[in-house]
Amino acid sequence: MKITGNKLYQRVAASITEAIEAGRWSPGSRLPGERDLAEEYKVSRPTIREAMIALEMKGWIEARHGSGLYVTKREHGGGERADSLNFDVGAFDLTEARILFEGEAVALAAVSITDEQIAELEELIAEMAADDSNEPSVMDADHRFHLAIANATGNAAIRSVVEYLWELRVNSPLAANMFARAKRGGITPRVEEHRPILDALKAHDPHAARNAMRRHLRGVVDDLLEATELEAMERARSEIETRRDSVARRLKIGSA
């Protein structure tokens, strides 16, 4: 099945709710795995993940630890329809946009940044490193670090775009939910990933600055993928690790 249109995760979520209402998956039944759904709908696994989180937030499905995702037993008929599943921007789309805009913003900033602005970034990194166990403080310093870079471009429009993308982390329900999951998983901004960005800015090297920013934000995507991994995949990984340990033990015995 091929899904078309904007906000792909919404289209997938809407199609799944329609299938539930049509009886393809009855209340209490388990949904197919993430990989199977991605193949069926011809979309990426991150898109399926955003769709599943949107459906879970709306109460259409529920995650059961170590088992997977199941259709809830509530009556959907006459309730919220599939076309009401508008959660705006997901965290993956948001971070992809940040890679694009902030990658170019930092390259521009590398050309025009002042010593005073570099000193401000130094202080913000020191602030993040000083108390990395204080999550709200680290997040605030991280936010100000990225905005300071946007401000260093000297372009008010660029700063406004970067600020808007950061606001979406809170104002988009789906993105906020996904970042909250990452937070519960103990994932916080990585201070060490900010240092190469600052080093490139100090060297006034646009190419290195762009690459460092993109590496940092791709790390955010990796963190989100890990934090939002579906229960079925978590169980599969656990089973694989158990088998791997068992094989390793057997091989060790055989070589003794």
Side-chain angles (χ1 to χ4, degrees):
M1 182 182 298
K2 187 175 181 179
I3 301 295
T4 59
N6 294 327
K7 297 184 180 177
L8 204 49
Y9 83 89
Q10 293 174 10
R11 301 282 294 171
V12 172
S15 182
I16 290 173
T17 61
E18 290 167 1
I20 291 172
E21 289 187 319
R24 177 180 176 185
W25 296 299
S26 59
S29 63
R30 183 180 183 278
L31 288 177
E34 181 180 292
R35 189 185 301 275
D36 292 335
L37 288 171
E39 291 178 358
E40 176 177 349
Y41 288 98
K42 304 294 189 295
V43 297
S44 68
R45 291 168 72 178
T47 296
I48 291 295
R49 203 162 299 173
E50 288 185 335
M52 294 298 100
I53 292 172
L55 290 169
E56 187 179 358
M57 290 171 66
K58 281 291 187 180
W60 284 88
I61 62 175
E62 62 181 358
R64 298 181 187 174
H65 183 69
S67 181
L69 293 168
Y70 290 78
V71 178
T72 58
K73 296 184 181 298
R74 72 177 179 88
E75 290 294 330
H76 296 295
E80 266 184 312
R81 300 292 301 173
D83 56 11
S84 71
L85 288 165
N86 190 331
F87 278 75
D88 201 18
V89 179
F92 293 114
D93 279 354
L94 172 57
T95 308
E96 183 179 55
R98 289 186 61 201
I99 291 171
L100 174 65
F101 284 101
E102 294 196 49
E104 295 310 308
V106 76
L108 181 58
V111 176
S112 58
I113 195 166
T114 66
D115 290 343
E116 182 180 4
Q117 290 167 330
I118 288 174
E120 179 186 3
L121 294 174
E122 289 270 21
E123 291 176 2
L124 288 169
I125 287 182
E127 190 176 325
M128 280 187 269
D131 189 8
D132 57 8
S133 62
N134 187 337
E135 191 271 340
S137 176
V138 173
M139 288 297 296
D140 178 63
D142 181 39
H143 181 193
R144 286 184 284 131
F145 180 88
H146 286 269
L147 288 186
I149 290 174
N151 192 55
T153 67
N155 186 311
I158 290 175
R159 190 189 190 287
S160 294
V161 170
V162 172
E163 175 68 47
Y164 173 70
L165 291 174
W166 272 86
E167 289 174 353
L168 281 176
R169 288 171 60 105
V170 177
N171 296 334
S172 170
L174 180 58
N177 180 279
M178 295 175 73
F179 281 114
R181 290 172 186 241
K183 178 181 175 181
R184 289 195 296 272
I187 294 172
T188 57
R190 299 172 179 172
V191 178
E192 67 274 10
E193 291 182 357
H194 293 73
R195 297 190 190 281
I197 299 172
L198 178 57
D199 290 341
L201 289 170
K202 286 181 178 179
H204 298 282
D205 186 335
H207 179 72
R210 181 187 294 112
N211 287 341
M213 180 65 78
R214 288 177 174 174
R215 280 195 301 271
H216 165 51
L217 293 175
R218 286 180 184 130
V220 173
V221 172
D222 291 340
D223 287 344
L224 286 166
L225 285 168
E226 180 179 352
T228 60
E229 194 159 319
L230 300 182
E231 293 288 341
M233 292 181 65
E234 291 179 354
R235 182 181 67 169
R237 184 193 292 115
S238 177
E239 291 174 351
I240 289 171
E241 290 299 327
T242 299
R243 293 194 192 102
R244 183 179 295 157
D245 290 344
S246 175
V247 170
R249 287 194 298 271
R250 289 172 181 273
L251 290 175
K252 186 175 181 180
I253 291 173
S255 60

